[in-house]
Amino acid sequence: MDTSAILTKILAGGVAGVSETLITYPAEFAKTRRQLYSDRAATGPPPSSLAILRSTIRQHGLSGVYAGCAALVTSNAAKSGIRFLAFETTRTRLDEMSGTTPGKPRAAWINVISGLSAGVAESILVVTPGEAVKTKMIHAASTMDGGPYTNRGPIGAAGVLVRQEGVRGLWSGLLPVLCKQGTNSAVRFTTFAMLQERVAGWWPRLDGGIGTTLVLGGISGVFTVYASMPFDNIKTRMQRVDSQYTGMLDCARQTLRADGIGAFWRGTSPRLVRLTLSSGITFTVYEQVVRLIKSASLPAAASAQRL
């Protein structure tokens, strides 16, 4: 893969990541707040997502539901670029190794492994640090005394986190993030690719359209949510400001003992809204940006050849 192709995928993925984050962040905020709720610390069920959003807007204004957004925008821009680059690169290599014929349906395992590689790459390089900072910022915004994280931007919050927990604190919850993102990418890319192949075979005229990509991306997001929700809940609990868990299994055991098995799917509704929208937006924006860059580069290449 040449340098221009690599830059194209990173840029397209970054634009897609920023776009979907800005549009869907209130749902992410509500999901994280619900996950931070513990039956041990309060009585009654956690407030609904709408109640959380209404309460936050009433107390802090509309900007309140975007607490931690800057951290997620930054990480999602990098994450999405790395995700698509890792996925496309791995899939190209596996296609070559398996002798996949261009234009023909590829084996499902190729998309699964490519998705897993994308999830691992983005987890280690971007997602875990970004999620750690974002969770601290949202947790601080949800308490009366947010401590040193109160009213800080992502860089300031990251600085506090490093001072309090060391550099390793940025990678707290790495294992559940790896599980979550690996599952996310494997399920999302595999489902999207399978649906795309079906559409191309059954309704060729719809293949590649913006509406088609948006719908197929949204459907892949639904499958992704239910498959990865337990890991997302464990990750959030491990990254909270006052986390005392010794590891992923300890967090899972304590969560199950204190809040029941349903706690592993807490926050599903807002995450379902967010990932359904974000998956559709991400795939659509990514493909459109790639096409735009390619169409812009063709005249430039032709002009260079004439010179």
Side-chain angles (χ1 to χ4, degrees):
M1 188 179 295
D2 59 30
T3 303
S4 62
I6 292 174
L7 293 177
T8 295
K9 296 183 187 307
I10 292 176
L11 177 60
V15 172
V18 171
S19 301
E20 65 91 1
T21 303
L22 291 175
I23 293 171
T24 64
Y25 191 78
E28 173 69 16
F29 178 88
K31 179 218 68 171
T32 304
R33 284 283 301 273
R34 281 178 60 83
Q35 291 176 336
L36 290 170
Y37 181 95
S38 174
D39 292 343
R40 293 172 296 177
T43 58
S48 69
S49 299
L50 288 178
I52 289 172
L53 293 176
R54 281 198 298 265
S55 174
T56 302
I57 292 173
R58 187 165 54 248
Q59 294 179 22
H60 306 289
L62 184 61
S63 62
V65 298
Y66 278 87
C69 181
L72 195 62
V73 165
T74 303
S75 68
N76 269 6
K79 174 184 75 175
S80 193
I82 291 171
R83 173 193 297 159
F84 279 101
L85 176 62
F87 177 80
E88 297 282 5
T89 302
T90 304
R91 190 167 67 170
T92 299
R93 296 290 182 270
L94 292 177
D95 281 344
E96 294 172 353
M97 291 169 57
S98 63
T100 301
T101 304
K104 297 290 185 180
R106 59 173 52 86
W109 66 267
I110 293 178
N111 288 319
V112 172
I113 294 178
S114 300
L116 285 172
S117 73
V120 170
E122 67 186 13
S123 296
I124 296 173
L125 297 176
V126 179
V127 178
T128 306
E131 287 284 329
V133 174
K134 179 214 71 176
T135 301
K136 293 286 194 297
M137 293 174 70
I138 291 180
H139 195 188
S142 68
T143 58
M144 295 297 293
D145 179 16
Y149 293 98
T150 303
N151 298 324
R152 289 186 181 271
I155 296 177
V160 172
L161 177 56
V162 171
R163 286 195 297 273
Q164 290 190 338
E165 303 179 24
V167 175
R168 291 182 60 184
L170 291 171
W171 278 270
S172 63
L174 175 60
L175 183 56
V177 171
L178 281 170
C179 295
K180 170 196 164 188
Q181 293 303 125
T183 303
N184 270 355
S185 293
V187 173
R188 180 181 298 173
F189 279 112
T190 302
T191 304
F192 182 78
M194 290 176 63
L195 292 173
Q196 206 172 35
E197 289 174 359
R198 296 296 184 276
V199 169
W202 296 342
W203 304 288
R205 294 178 59 184
L206 297 178
D207 186 35
I210 293 177
T212 302
T213 305
L214 193 63
V215 171
L216 298 186
I219 294 173
S220 70
V222 174
F223 286 93
T224 301
V225 169
Y226 287 101
S228 62
M229 203 68 213
F231 300 122
D232 189 59
N233 268 286
I234 292 172
K235 178 271 304 177
T236 298
R237 287 172 179 252
M238 290 180 67
Q239 292 177 334
R240 61 186 295 160
V241 173
D242 55 353
S243 174
Q244 300 294 321
Y245 302 112
T246 59
M248 178 177 169
L249 292 179
D250 177 58
C251 179
R253 280 195 298 267
Q254 291 195 42
T255 299
L256 181 62
R257 187 181 304 119
D259 300 334
I261 194 168
F264 292 109
W265 278 270
R266 182 171 291 165
T268 295
S269 295
R271 187 165 183 248
L272 186 62
V273 171
R274 179 175 181 269
L275 273 194
T276 300
L277 290 173
S278 71
S279 291
I281 293 169
T282 299
F283 280 115
T284 302
V285 173
Y286 175 80
E287 292 195 353
Q288 294 305 310
V289 172
V290 168
R291 290 177 183 175
L292 181 63
I293 293 174
K294 287 182 177 179
S295 64
S297 64
L298 288 177
S303 177
Q305 287 180 350
R306 286 196 297 270
L307 294 175

